[in-house]
């Protein structure tokens, strides 16, 4: 990307991988818009980044409401004059339970955040990009995007599978449009792998956490490791329309398992955060779409 400092909008950027991405883009000289549902949380997240108003805008928006997403785009345009990159990171998951055992409203909340929220963000961003003739839409993949299965993640995995299909379909539509109306707009996918955030760790009791921690310590990485790498790939702008940038590839995961006996990785806390066995306050029974849900794609592979 060349010219004046790029403008990057990251939904679901008050915590976790989204907040890490916002910080990484700021570190690379971008102008950044952070967003989440709650105005107070957005204000706190923006303050934590410590950037001046000419580089950073905080704006509350519920991604499940198209009008609020459009207002987020409009606010970015008013503040910075344009948008170059839009990252649909906002998402949610449920407690690790079978579909039939989920509490009332949990399924609807996850579908609304992960699928409808991504669709709304994609539609708003692509409309704006096509009007300008240039722009990059990045949608966050997650566990289930490649069709893999885990007990208790049926609802979440289904939405992430749909996000992958949606992004590829958008890329196809963009190619079709370019035949008669040339443009430089791309629909792309980001895959952060397994990142240590509250979303990854929620819902485990002490015994279950002890079982999975050994595997997760092999595969997981911290936000401060993954987010800068992803930001560099976005800024490099070398991914073709419909393409994918993945931190934890199958080859990398296999290499980590192969060397696990010789190299000790200790990236997870020794005990699951919060009181043992208690539900995560943002996820059970009502998931919170302020937090990125694309960070656990490679879980238990």
């Amino acid at each position: 990307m060349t010219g004046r400092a790029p403008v990057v909008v990251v939904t679901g950027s008050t915590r976790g991988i989204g907040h890490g991405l916002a910080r990484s883009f700021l570190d690379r000289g971008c102008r950044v818009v952070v967003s989440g549902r709650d105005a107070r949380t957005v204000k706190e997240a923006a303050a934590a980044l410590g950037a001046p108003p000419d580089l950073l805008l905080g704006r509350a928006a519920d991604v499940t409401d198209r009008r609020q997403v459009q207002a987020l785009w409009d606010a970015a345009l008013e503040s910075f004059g344009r948008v170059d990159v839009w990252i649909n990171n906002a998402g949610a998951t449920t407690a690790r339970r079978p579909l039939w055992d989920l509490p009332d409203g949990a399924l609807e909340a996850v579908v609304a955040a992960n699928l409808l929220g991504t669709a709304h963000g994609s539609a708003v961003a692509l409309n704006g990009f096509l009007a300008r003739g240039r722009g990059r839409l990045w949608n966050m993949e997650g566990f289930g995007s490649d069709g893999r299965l885990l007990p208790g993640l049926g609802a979440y995995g289904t939405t992430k599978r749909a996000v992958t299909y949606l992004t590829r379909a958008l890329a196809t539509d963009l190619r079709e449009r370019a035949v008669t109306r040339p443009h430089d707009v791309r629909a792309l996918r980001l895959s952060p792998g397994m990142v240590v955030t509250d979303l990854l760790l929620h819902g485990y009791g002490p015994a279950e956490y002890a079982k999975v921690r050994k595997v997760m310590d092999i595969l997981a990485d911290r936000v401060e490791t993954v987010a800068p790498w992803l930001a560099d790939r976005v800024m490099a702008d070398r991914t073709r329309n419909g393409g994918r940038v993945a931190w934890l590839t199958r080859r990398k995961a296999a290499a980590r398992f192969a060397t696990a006996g010789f190299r000790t990785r200790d990236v997870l806390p020794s005990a699951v955060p919060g009181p043992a066995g208690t539900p995560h306050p943002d996820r059970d029974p009502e998931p919170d779409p302020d937090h990125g849900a694309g960070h656990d794609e490679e879980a238990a592979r």
Side-chain angles (χ1 to χ4, degrees):
M1 295 183 184
T2 59
R4 196 179 174 196
V7 177
V8 182
V9 177
V10 187
T11 70
S13 47
T14 59
R15 294 177 15 177
I17 189 69
H19 197 254
L21 284 170
R23 183 178 298 281
S24 297
F25 285 119
L26 285 169
D27 289 344
R28 283 150 182 77
C30 297
R31 293 170 287 168
V32 175
V33 180
V34 296
S35 182
R37 284 194 307 176
D38 181 71
R40 179 184 58 82
T41 305
V42 171
K43 184 177 180 180
E44 292 172 353
L49 292 171
D54 61 331
L55 294 179
L56 177 64
L57 171 68
R59 174 80 183 215
D62 183 345
V63 297
T64 67
D65 183 338
R66 176 76 70 91
R67 289 173 296 182
Q68 292 191 42
V69 178
Q70 183 64 56
L72 176 62
W73 172 278
D74 294 341
L77 211 61
E78 182 179 353
S79 294
F80 298 129
R82 71 172 197 263
V83 176
D84 298 287
V85 177
W86 181 287
I87 300 178
N88 282 317
N89 173 72
T93 189
T94 66
R96 289 178 175 84
R97 301 179 189 174
L99 185 68
W100 61 85
D101 196 32
L102 291 177
D104 290 346
L107 176 62
E108 289 83 354
V110 168
V111 172
N114 295 358
L115 183 51
L116 289 179
T118 299
H120 289 329
S122 297
V124 167
L126 291 178
N127 267 324
F129 288 153
L130 288 169
R132 182 184 170 211
R134 177 180 174 81
R136 305 292 181 257
L137 169 71
W138 291 88
N139 289 334
M140 281 286 194
E141 292 192 318
F143 183 83
S145 285
D146 64 354
R148 297 198 179 210
L149 303 169
L150 262 182
L153 288 178
Y156 176 83
T158 297
T159 61
K160 283 301 176 178
R161 183 70 161 168
V163 164
T164 296
Y165 182 93
L166 171 66
T167 311
R168 295 175 66 185
L170 293 171
T172 298
D173 288 339
L174 289 171
R175 280 192 290 269
E176 181 72 13
R177 180 187 175 100
V179 173
T180 55
R181 286 172 284 180
H183 61 78
D184 185 19
V185 179
R186 304 176 200 169
L188 308 153
R189 293 171 285 150
L190 276 181
S191 176
M194 186 189 294
V195 182
V196 181
T197 66
D198 61 342
L199 186 60
L200 176 67
L201 301 177
H202 92 279
Y204 286 113
E208 187 182 11
Y209 182 69
K211 288 182 180 179
V212 302
R213 184 188 170 203
K214 185 176 293 186
V215 173
M216 289 200 294
D217 257 333
I218 295 172
L219 293 177
D221 293 279
R222 296 187 177 94
V223 169
E224 55 266 32
T225 300
V226 179
W229 186 90
L230 293 176
D232 282 339
R233 270 59 189 180
V234 171
M235 294 294 291
D237 197 30
R238 295 175 185 150
T239 310
R240 294 182 179 180
N241 181 41
R244 176 176 182 258
V245 166
W247 163 259
L248 185 61
T249 62
R250 294 188 183 188
R251 179 176 296 181
K252 184 185 288 186
R256 287 188 179 182
F257 278 116
T259 59
F262 310 100
R263 297 178 59 192
T264 300
R265 302 184 82 248
D266 188 16
V267 298
L268 272 75
S270 58
V272 65
T278 60
H280 189 286
D282 288 340
R283 299 288 185 257
D284 182 14
E286 185 177 355
D288 180 354
D290 279 359
H291 302 225
H295 61 259
D296 57 347
E297 180 196 359
E298 305 288 341
R301 290 190 177 180

